[in-house]
Structures are given as structure tokens and as C-alpha cells.
Amino acid sequence: MKSWIPNFVTLLNLFCGCAAIICILDLRFIPAFWFLFASGWFDFADGLVARALNVSSEHGKELDSLADMVSFGVVPAMIYYVLLLLPVDLAPASPPAITWSWYAAPALFVALFSALRLAKFNLDTRQSENFLGVATPTSTVYATGLMLIVATNPDWAPYVLSRWVLYPSILIMSFLLVSEYPMFSFKLKGFGWAGNETKYIFAALAIGLLTVLWTSAFPFIVVVYLILNLAFPPPSSAKQPL
């Protein structure tokens, strides 16, 4: 019975992801952000609970991937889709009709490539301490950051809503999701400096960006993460059981 406790936490991740989609389609971007924040927390917590209870199952691993596909695959695709529908000079307070649009359809590439990413990760034996390609939560943080800028920063919102920003963001993130380029994870090798240099530098830069830009910081934090990985690529390693 206790093996279902981590699964329940995983289902909370899925529930919050579904709720975030509803909020995004309603152009309620701030509640969507908090649902996504909760999704990320539950995604982290289910593993902690499983280890604390000393339980593990193939069923739980598959359920975790299905929940992640919604929260970190479909959700960012919906964010891009809705942002592409918003005219540059239109605030979320004056919502357009959310309907099918061919020019917004490329946003769905993020969902497709997230599915490929998660399927690949489930079978890949090289990813434990670090990743190959961008993890789906990182892709979601970037998309969520664009959404927050539109919701909270009217001076920057027109730039974010430009198709010259959104289309390249979709294409680059889709490519990075399935790329073979090594990316560091946030697991620390102890608390010393040695072996954690890039992670500590990234943490310091992320805190600095949050302090200066606050809700507008998240896309820039992801860009810094990508630049650090390009400059100091980590080694890949064998994946251990979750």
C-alpha cells in the first residue's frame, strides 16, 4: 500500500499540470505559474517520498513520465501557442478567442519533442549525474518565464510576443530537448567547491538575476544555464535506477 504514496504525489504533479493548462488557455498567467511551481515541487517530492519509504516500481516510473509529459511537455507548448495568438499590443486582460491557428501550430513541436525526450531518457543508460540535452523542466521554466514577462512586465511584453522571439525559442528548445549535448544537473557532489564549480557559479548568477529582474528573470536564467553548459560541458555518466 505504501508504494502508492509516491504515485499519489506524482498524480498531484499531473493534476497541477492540467490545472495550469486550463489557466493558460484562460490567460490567467499568474495562477498558471503557481500551478507549474507546484508541479515542479511534486515532481521533485515523489522521488524523495519513494526513497524515504524505500519503494520503487516500474509502474511508478511510467506514471512519472506520463505526468511529466503533461506538466513539462504539453504545458510549455500551450504557453507558446497562446503567446503566438496574442497581438503584440494586446494585454491578457483583453483576451482573444483561443482557437486553432496555423501560425501558432508550431508551438506544438515542443510537446512532440518533449515526448521524444522523455521516451529517450527512460531508455538511456548515460544520464544520472548529468543530462544529454535539455531536461523538460528546464524547457518549461523558459516558456513560463516568457509568460510571466507578458503578465507582469508591460514594457518587455511586446518583445516577448514578437514572432521573431517565439518561433526561434520554439525551434531551439525543440532541438535542445533531443540533442546529445551534455548538460549539468543540479545534484551536488557534496558541498565543496571541487566538482561543483559550474553549479555554484550558475546558482550565484541565477540569484543575481532574480534579485535584479524578479519575475522577468527566468528566461535569462535558462539562457545563462545554456551558456555555462556550452562553455563548461559536464561529463555524461551511467543512469542509475530512479
Side-chain angles (χ1 to χ4, degrees), residues 33-179:
F33 165 77
W34 287 113
F35 277 120
L36 284 173
F37 181 85
S39 285
W41 170 250
F42 289 129
D43 184 50
F44 174 73
D46 61 3
L48 291 180
V49 172
R51 286 189 288 272
L53 296 176
N54 194 28
V55 295
S56 178
S57 69
E58 291 300 319
H59 182 273
K61 295 174 187 177
E62 295 302 322
L63 182 62
D64 185 68
S65 287
L66 291 171
D68 286 352
M69 179 57 213
V70 173
S71 297
F72 309 126
V74 177
V75 166
M78 289 298 97
I79 290 174
Y80 289 121
Y81 188 87
V82 169
L83 294 184
L84 281 166
L85 288 179
L86 285 175
V88 171
D89 59 349
L90 181 64
S94 304
I98 302 300
T99 183
W100 174 257
S101 173
W102 67 268
Y103 65 80
L108 303 183
F109 289 167
V110 174
L112 302 181
F113 281 87
S114 294
L116 291 172
R117 159 80 195 180
L118 289 167
K120 175 184 175 184
F121 181 81
N122 287 345
L123 300 174
D124 202 327
T125 60
R126 299 169 293 170
Q127 305 182 62
S128 64
E129 293 182 4
N130 299 304
F131 301 118
L132 293 175
V134 165
T136 51
T138 302
S139 165
T140 304
V141 168
Y142 180 82
T144 303
L146 298 180
M147 178 183 72
L148 279 178
I149 290 175
V150 172
T152 64
N153 192 335
D155 293 331
W156 290 10
Y159 299 102
V160 169
L161 293 174
S162 168
R163 295 178 192 175
W164 291 101
V165 171
L166 292 175
Y167 284 141
S169 294
I170 291 165
L171 293 175
I172 291 170
M173 279 299 164
S174 296
F175 168 76
L176 290 176
L177 282 165
V178 295
S179 74

Side-chain angles (χ1 to χ4, degrees), residues 4-14 41-43 45-46 49:
W4 275 94
I5 298 176
N7 290 346
F8 176 74
V9 178
T10 302
L11 288 175
L12 291 175
N13 167 15
L14 177 58
W41 170 250
F42 289 129
D43 184 50
D46 61 3
V49 172

